[in-house]
Amino acid sequence: MRAHSPFRNVAAVMYREYKIRITSFTWLFYDLALPAFYLLLFGIGLNTAFTGGVAVGGAVISYNAFFLAGVLSMAGFGIAINTSYGFFVDRDNGIFYEFLTYPMTRGEFLFGKILFSLCITTVQSAITVAIGVAVLRVQISLPLLPLLFLANAVCTAGWFFCLSIFALRIRRNDLYNTVINVAYFVLMFASSIFFPLDNSPAWLKILAGANPLTWHTDILRYLSVGTGEANTVLLQCAAYAVFAVAVFIGGVRALRASA
Amino acid sequence: MPQREHAIHISDLVKVYNSGGTDEVRALDDFSLTVERGHITGLLGPNGAGKSTLLKILTTLLPKTSGSAHIMGFDVEKQALDVRRSICLVLQQNAVEQYLTVEDNFETFGRFHGLSKSERRERGDRVIHAFGLEAERRQKAIDLSGGYKRRVQVAKVFMIDAPVIFLDEATTGMDPINKRATIDAVAEEARRGRTILLTTHLLDEAEELCDSIVFIDKGRKILEGDLFTIKALARNIVDVSVTYETLTPDIRDAVERIPARKREVQHSTVLLTIDSATASPHAVLGTLLDLGPTLAFEVRGATLEDVFMQVLGKEKP
Ligand SMILES: Nc1ncnc2c1ncn2[C@@H]1O[C@H](COP(=O)(O)OP(=O)(O)O)[C@@H](O)[C@H]1O
Ligand SMILES: [Mg+2]
């Protein structure tokens, strides 16, 4: 028997995801370039609507600058949805069950999938930020750029684990679709993605404050355009870390129970 | 205690689906079995007997309800990773990478099993050749017909050296030529010392391949033994078949009147299964030959199918 190598197993999972992804131009476009288009279309439209800029925590910045972090977190969430959706595709192909008998642990399987998503997220973040800077003239903090990419990658991983629990437990494609669509809509609306929460009604502030997508977006916003209180953002980092660990454990459990 | 020399050791295994519910199913019921290394064991039983359930538990896909199961001495639940490192399988349902080409299916599979680059290439080529997939090697699996997909899935297990192979109805959906290629490949792997547990409801396939046969019904082991022992159980059973030049209605009527355990008519061939304890095969053959001009006749001993009928009191599983 060959020695067990977690590194080789994770690499094999990533290679497989890569091979599948490059077979389809549409997937590559959705994963890599769509958010940049989103930023351009939404940004240009809403930037003219908010000519005076938007006020966030005392500072006033252009809507484009504000929306950049929103696009990044939204796109990370989108990648997590696509990756979790892969469980259904694999299950329909039957290959999912065969995977579970390959010589690797459930953790290695999940980790390989997530690591691949993180690579995609990072390339996508780089493209989106480049468009934001070059076309929309958003001023971002260059020294914090690596941290921005890292934060988006880690937060995307959190969403993937979270969605995996639902994908693996729900088992039914159509039902999962419905649940995810509703959750996506509610989570995005009750967050700081599209508008600052400063002037929102109290109930929305409370709802958004407990929403991990708000933490995700606020962390990215702090790292990209520098809005927000350092202490608040640190607290949001801690909250997101707890959320991510909890959903990771939940995800591995769901995978173990899924055969 | 399971011994290292046993490839598979199963003891009082129980699996209950939907436990406590109104739709509770006892899919495995105190099932025990030991398989020696290098043996081919056939698990035979009608649909719903519990064959797939057993294979899923042995391949770490499904948790058991109680009892124990070991593969190469490793506990299927407590040492799942060691078990996975000792096995490969063909699931009953299709399992291919739809979006990848045939050769990439083998490439990714080889990576998951830790084959080196040269091994992946060499073994990928070997199975592509053995399973007649040369012309399809660059096609995506999603564009292949069901039979070809099945070939890709089955071919994968012959790329790696895991000591224990599980085949769940592996030849289902294959044409006779590939069925033959699969059977030959399985036999060759066993000669090289690999242990094979296969399920089938094709008795002739089991009869040709297996060192030992296990009959399972309603989750219980009904019977176990080597081919000769099992067949001896039906030693009184004899199949007599006669092919007529033309099967006239008169011949048909006459055949209906001959006492037999089973009567089958296909085109112009009549097959009677009789119990030699109560009727003489020679007399039956003589009667059949007297009914009209014939092209061929045959008398042979029990097949596994006959044993199955004898033991379960049922038609072909
Ligand atoms: N996931 C499941 N949930 C509930 N019952 C199941 C499930 N899988 C199989 N069964 C039931 O368990 C029994 C054995 O099924 P199976 O192992 O697939 O038999 P076989 O492979 O011999 O045809 C059948 O009665 C089947 O309906
Ligand atoms: Mg079955």
Side-chain angles (χ1 to χ4, degrees):
Chain A
M1 240 192 274
R2 287 162 213 250
H4 179 75
S5 158
F7 176 78
R8 194 189 58 211
N9 292 341
V10 169
V13 178
M14 289 180 73
Y15 177 80
R16 181 250 172 188
E17 296 288 328
Y18 159 79
K19 282 300 263 190
I20 290 178
R21 226 53 87 89
I22 58 166
T23 56
S24 161
F25 177 76
T26 328
W27 283 342
L28 274 181
F29 174 78
Y30 265 90
D31 280 344
L32 297 181
L34 193 65
F37 272 83
Y38 228 66
L39 179 66
L40 280 174
L41 294 177
F42 250 77
I44 289 170
L46 287 174
N47 210 45
T48 39
F50 294 96
T51 28
V54 285
V56 205
V60 175
I61 55 173
S62 75
Y63 187 79
N64 281 333
F66 174 83
F67 191 46
L68 177 63
V71 168
L72 290 176
S73 64
M74 203 161 57
F77 195 86
I79 286 186
I81 290 183
N82 287 348
T83 311
S84 67
Y85 210 77
F87 284 121
F88 289 102
V89 178
D90 292 346
R91 198 144 47 193
D92 288 347
N93 294 347
I95 195 82
F96 177 75
Y97 297 107
E98 202 181 273
F99 275 150
L100 296 183
T101 69
Y102 289 172
M104 60 183 171
T105 64
R106 304 292 191 249
E108 285 160 2
F109 177 63
L110 217 50
F111 192 68
K113 268 188 175 284
I114 193 63
L115 211 55
F116 180 78
S117 296
L118 300 195
C119 295
I120 296 260
T121 311
T122 303
V123 175
Q124 178 201 67
S125 302
I127 294 175
T128 312
V129 169
I131 297 273
V133 170
V135 182
L136 300 176
R137 305 278 163 216
V138 175
Q139 296 198 332
I140 61 149
S141 157
L142 271 184
L144 291 182
L145 199 56
L147 263 186
L148 174 69
F149 291 162
L150 183 71
N152 202 18
V154 172
C155 288
T156 300
W159 288 120
F160 169 68
F161 295 137
C162 177
L163 294 169
S164 299
I165 301 176
F166 290 96
L168 293 167
R169 296 268 182 206
I170 291 181
R171 283 168 169 268
R172 266 182 51 202
N173 204 331
D174 49 346
L175 187 60
Y176 179 68
N177 246 333
T178 313
V179 169
I180 293 307
N181 278 333
V182 172
Y184 193 37
F185 181 78
V186 172
L187 285 174
M188 280 206 304
F189 173 73
S191 80
S192 56
I193 287 185
F194 293 104
F195 43 83
L197 294 167
D198 301 38
N199 301 322
S200 307
W203 64 267
L204 185 57
K205 266 188 203 166
I206 294 170
L207 214 60
N211 179 356
L213 198 54
T214 301
W215 312 336
H216 180 177
T217 311
D218 285 354
I219 295 166
L220 300 188
R221 198 160 279 144
Y222 180 80
L223 293 171
S224 60
V225 293
T227 56
E229 289 280 327
N231 283 340
T232 315
V233 173
L234 268 179
L235 201 65
Q236 289 177 318
C237 286
Y240 201 94
V242 172
F243 167 71
V245 169
V247 288
F248 177 74
I249 294 170
V252 172
R253 279 205 189 143
L255 188 59
R256 288 223 174 100
S258 73
Chain B
M1 255 329 271
Q3 314 231 289
R4 293 283 308 186
E5 60 265 29
H6 293 149
I8 302 171
H9 186 88
I10 305 164
S11 172
D12 300 322
L13 198 60
V14 174
K15 175 68 191 182
V16 181
Y17 288 109
N18 311 323
S19 183
T22 47
D23 47 356
E24 182 175 297
V25 180
R26 209 169 172 86
L28 287 174
D29 200 2
D30 282 327
F31 190 93
S32 301
L33 177 69
T34 301
V35 177
E36 304 295 327
R37 292 188 184 197
H39 277 230
I40 307 184
T41 303
L43 194 60
L44 273 82
N47 279 326
K51 305 182 294 290
S52 293
T53 299
L54 178 65
L55 257 57
K56 283 182 192 160
I57 294 174
L58 297 181
T59 54
T60 79
L61 279 171
L62 196 67
K64 60 179 198 258
T65 303
S66 68
S68 73
H70 292 78
I71 306 291
M72 301 302 279
F74 300 116
D75 185 289
V76 290
E77 279 177 21
K78 295 194 198 79
Q79 297 164 295
L81 184 60
D82 291 305
V83 169
R84 282 179 215 138
R85 282 150 56 79
S86 313
I87 62 169
C88 57
L89 84 160
V90 174
L91 289 166
Q92 183 166 12
Q93 75 256 50
N94 277 334
V96 290
E97 294 280 12
Q98 302 272 29
Y99 300 103
L100 299 186
T101 62
V102 168
E103 46 182 25
D104 282 342
N105 261 276
F106 296 132
E107 164 72 20
T108 49
F109 182 81
R111 279 177 188 252
F112 278 116
H113 289 86
L115 300 185
S116 70
K117 191 174 176 182
S118 59
E119 285 170 327
R120 292 197 298 271
R121 183 166 312 150
E122 184 257 314
R123 296 179 188 200
D125 284 345
R126 193 184 69 209
V127 296
I128 281 175
H129 178 74
F131 285 85
L133 292 162
E134 284 98 341
E136 290 77 22
R137 66 186 298 155
R138 294 207 166 72
Q139 280 186 39
K140 282 189 192 173
I142 198 166
D143 298 326
L144 300 177
S145 70
Y148 275 90
K149 280 184 198 160
R150 194 69 179 166
R151 275 194 234 174
V152 173
Q153 182 184 356
V154 171
K156 285 190 282 191
V157 305
F158 299 107
M159 276 181 75
I160 58 172
D161 305 314
V164 183
I165 304 177
F166 295 97
L167 305 170
D168 201 356
E169 315 266 348
T171 57
T172 303
M174 281 189 178
D175 58 77
I177 293 175
N178 283 288
K179 206 171 262 188
R180 169 75 12 225
T182 306
I183 289 173
D184 289 346
V186 170
E188 172 61 26
E189 295 304 314
R191 272 194 291 277
R192 290 174 49 203
R194 297 175 85 180
T195 309
I196 295 150
L197 179 61
L198 60 88
T199 79
T200 181
H201 50 263
L202 301 176
L203 300 154
D204 54 345
E205 191 175 295
E207 187 164 0
E208 173 173 0
L209 262 177
C210 299
D211 302 310
S212 23
I213 304 281
V214 176
F215 281 6
I216 176 174
D217 189 37
K218 300 194 181 75
R220 287 185 159 273
K221 187 163 75 181
I222 302 293
L223 190 64
E224 177 183 10
D226 62 61
L227 207 52
F228 298 107
T229 319
I230 296 249
K231 278 192 165 184
L233 287 170
R235 63 179 170 273
N236 289 337
I237 309 281
V238 179
D239 286 336
V240 180
S241 74
V242 172
T243 305
Y244 294 94
E245 275 176 15
T246 41
L247 188 67
T248 61
D250 284 350
I251 299 181
R252 248 178 206 278
D253 288 344
V255 166
E256 289 298 326
R257 284 192 297 272
I258 301 174
R261 292 174 63 99
K262 202 173 105 191
R263 216 175 268 109
E264 250 181 77
V265 179
Q266 268 187 357
H267 304 294
S268 53
T269 300
V270 172
L271 175 79
L272 296 184
T273 302
I274 54 172
D275 188 339
S276 61
T278 53
S280 151
H282 301 99
V284 170
L285 180 63
T287 312
L288 285 172
L289 291 176
D290 285 342
L291 294 177
T294 57
L295 296 174
F297 66 89
E298 192 183 353
V299 178
R300 60 189 156 82
T303 61
L304 275 177
E305 189 168 337
D306 299 322
V307 182
F308 211 95
M309 268 182 63
Q310 175 101 335
V311 175
L312 294 181
K314 287 185 189 180
E315 286 287 310
K316 189 172 176 168

